[in-house]
Amino acid sequence: MAQVSLKNIKKSYDKTEIIGDLSVEIEDKEFVVLVGPSGCGKSTLLRMIAGLEDITAGKITIGERVVNNMQPKDRNIAMVFQNYALYPHMTVYKNISFGLRAAKLSKADIKKKVNEAAEILELTDLLDRKPAQLSGGQRQRVSMGRAIVRDPQVFLFDEPLSNLDAKLRATMRAEIKKLHQTVKTTIIYVTHDQVEAMTLADRIVILKDGEIQQIGTPMDLYNKPVNKFVASFIGSPEMNFITNADGITLGIRPEDIYLADNAPTLEKTRTIAATLILQEPMGAETLLTADYDGTTITVKAPGTVNLAVGQAIRLLLNVGNGHLFDKEGIRV
Amino acid sequence: MAEQKIYKKAISVKKTVIWTMLAIGAIAMLTPIIFMFSASFKYSDEIFNLNIIPSEPTLSNYIYLFEETTFFKWLINSFIISTVVTFSVLFFDALIGYTLCKFKFKGRKIVFIAILSTLMIPTEMLVIPWYVLSNNLGLIDSYFGLMFPGLMSGFGVFLMKQFFEGVPDDFLDAARIDGLNEFQIFIEVALPLVMPALSALAIFTFLGNWTAFLWPMIVTTSADLYTIPVGLASFSGEFQTEWEMIMTGAAVASLPTLLVFLLLQRFIIRGVILGGLKG
Ligand SMILES: Nc1ncnc2c1ncn2[C@@H]1O[C@H](COP(=O)(O)OP(=O)(O)OP(=O)(O)O)[C@@H](O)[C@H]1O
Ligand SMILES: [Mg+2]
C-alpha cells in the first residue's frame, strides 16, 4: 500500500517562497498528474517527495511512514528524469542494474530483475549498447527500466516525454499507461502538456505559482473548471473568453462554437457577428480565428469549411456548454 | 562538371597550404629533438659537428650514463614524484572542483576566488616561503619536500570545476535515488563523465613535474635526490660541460613523456566523442 500524503507543504529558497501551503492526498495505485505552467513548482514538489530537496515545513507520508527526514534511497520511490540521466559510460544493462549493484544484490538476482524489466520494456536486444547508440524513445525506456527494477512503491516522472517528437510522445504515452496497468503502483507524473495530463491521469492536480488551483478527474476539470486559469489550461485549442460590460466573462470552448449557417439545433444559444482573420485546415477539422469586437475567438469547424479571410461570419455559441466567471476569474 | 573541377582544385590548394605550414612547424619542432638523439650516439669530439648521422655511432654514452652516474636514480626520483603528484592533483583538484561546483554552502565563492588568486602568484615568488617552510619542517632533501608544493593546483581546481558545470545534476540525483553515498557518486558517476578533463590535467601535471627545475634544484642538496632536470644540469660544470651526457640524459628523459601523452591522449579523443553524443 502506498498512499502519498502531502500536508501543509511549504518550500522557500532563501526568502523566496516557491510553494505556499500545499496539501494533497494521493491514493494507492493512483495515477496523478501535476500540471502547470513553467516555473510553478512542479519539479520542486516532485523532488521534495523524492527527498532530493528539503521541505521548509509540512509533512510527507509515503505508505505508512513519514519520510521527511529519510534519504531518497529509503523512501521506496523511483524517479524518471526529463533528460533520462543515463550514464554515458555504462551499457544499458549496467545502467539498469546500477542501483541494484549499489544495494549489493547477488549477481543472479540482478540478472533476473534486469531481464524482467527488459522484457516489459522490450529492451532485451539492447542490453549491451551504450546510451549514445540508442534513439530518444529507447533511452527513455531504459530510464524507466532503471526505475522498475527498484520495485518502488511510488514512481515519480518529471516531464519524461518532453524531449521526444510528437509522434514518439504519443507512443510512449501509451507505454506509460500500459506500464501503470502492469506494475500497479502509485504514479506521480509532472508535465506541462495538458494532453498528457488528460490522457494519462486518474486525477489531475493543477498548480499555479506553487498553489493548487483544482484537483479532479480529467473530465471534472474539462467540464467544471473552477476558475479562468484552469479553464484556459485544460483543452486545446484554448477556451474563448468573452467579457461583458459588467465584468462577467463567458468562457466557451472552440468545439462549442458553430458557423451559424451550419449549426445543429441547440437549446441555449447566442449568435454573434465576427470577421475571419485566420483559417488553418488540419484535415478532419479546420481552425478558424475570428475577431469579435476586439476579442479573438477560436472555432473548431468541420474540415469541409472553406471561407475567405477577411470575410464577415456569423457564429453560433452553444451557451448551454459555456462557463461563467466573475471579475476575479472565479466560476459563478 | 567544370564547376566541380574548380572546387576540387580549390580544396587541393587549401590542402597544400595547410600541409606546408604543418611541415614547417614539424621541422621546427623536430630538428632539436633529432639533434638531441643524434648527439647521444656521438663521441664527445664529434659533438659540435652538425652531421645528423654520427660518423662512428656508439652506445657508450648510454652505458656510461646508467653505469657510472646516478642517472638511473634520478629517473626513478622523477618518476615517483611526477606520478604521486599527478595522482594527488587529479584526486584533490577533482574533489575540490566538484564540491565547489555541485554543493551550495556559505563562503563557496570566497573559497573559489582564493583558489583562483593563487594562479596569479608566480612560482619564483613562492620559492622563498616554500624554502623557509621546508627548512623549519625539516623537509629539505626529502621526497615530501620535493612534492608538497605541487600536490594540489589552483589551475586544476578551476579546470575541473568548469568541466563539472557540464555534468547535469540529474545524473547525481539519479545516483542518490539509487542509494549511492556522496563519495561513491563522485567516484563512480561524476569522475567518469569528466574523463577528458582528467586526462588533460594528468598530462599537464605529469609533464610539468617531469620537467620542473627551479624548486627541485633548491630543495635538494644530495645528488641521490635530484630529479632528471637537476641531475642533467649538474653535468654542466664550472670548467666544462659534458654535452653528450646532457643529450643522452635528455633523450632518455623524453621517452616517458611521449608514453604518457600517447597513453592518455586516447581518453581525450574518446571523451570528446562521448560528450558530443550526449543527448
Ligand atoms: N535551487 C533553486 N534556488 C532558487 N530557486 C529555485 C531553485 N530551484 C528552483 N527554483 C525556483 O523555483 C520555482 C519553481 O521551479 P520548478 O523547477 O519547480 O518549476 P517547474 O514547475 O518544474 O517548471 P518547468 O515546467 O519549467 O520545469 C522557479 O521559479 C525556480 O526559479
Ligand atoms: Mg520542472
Side-chain angles (χ1 to χ4, degrees), chain B residues 129-149:
Chain B
W130 285 344
Y131 187 82
V132 174
L133 189 70
S134 311
N135 208 8
N136 289 339
L137 296 179
L139 299 177
I140 302 288
D141 234 10
S142 72
Y143 270 146
F144 190 70
L146 276 160
M147 291 189 291
F148 83 87

Side-chain angles (χ1 to χ4, degrees), chain A residues 13 18 37-44 159 192:
Chain A
Y13 287 110
I18 305 294
S38 187
C40 70
K42 307 179 295 286
S43 298
T44 307
E159 308 204 22
H192 59 248

Side-chain angles (χ1 to χ4, degrees), chain A residues 2 76-79 147-156 183 185-186:
Chain A
N76 246 320
I77 49 105
M79 187 157 170
I148 290 177
V149 291
R150 291 178 52 78
D151 274 333
Q153 289 185 304
V154 182
F155 275 105
L156 306 172
V183 298
T185 46
T186 312

Side-chain angles (χ1 to χ4, degrees), chain A residues 318-329:
Chain A
N318 181 4
V319 180
N321 279 356
H323 312 267
L324 290 177
F325 302 101
D326 66 12
K327 279 199 184 84
E328 273 76 51

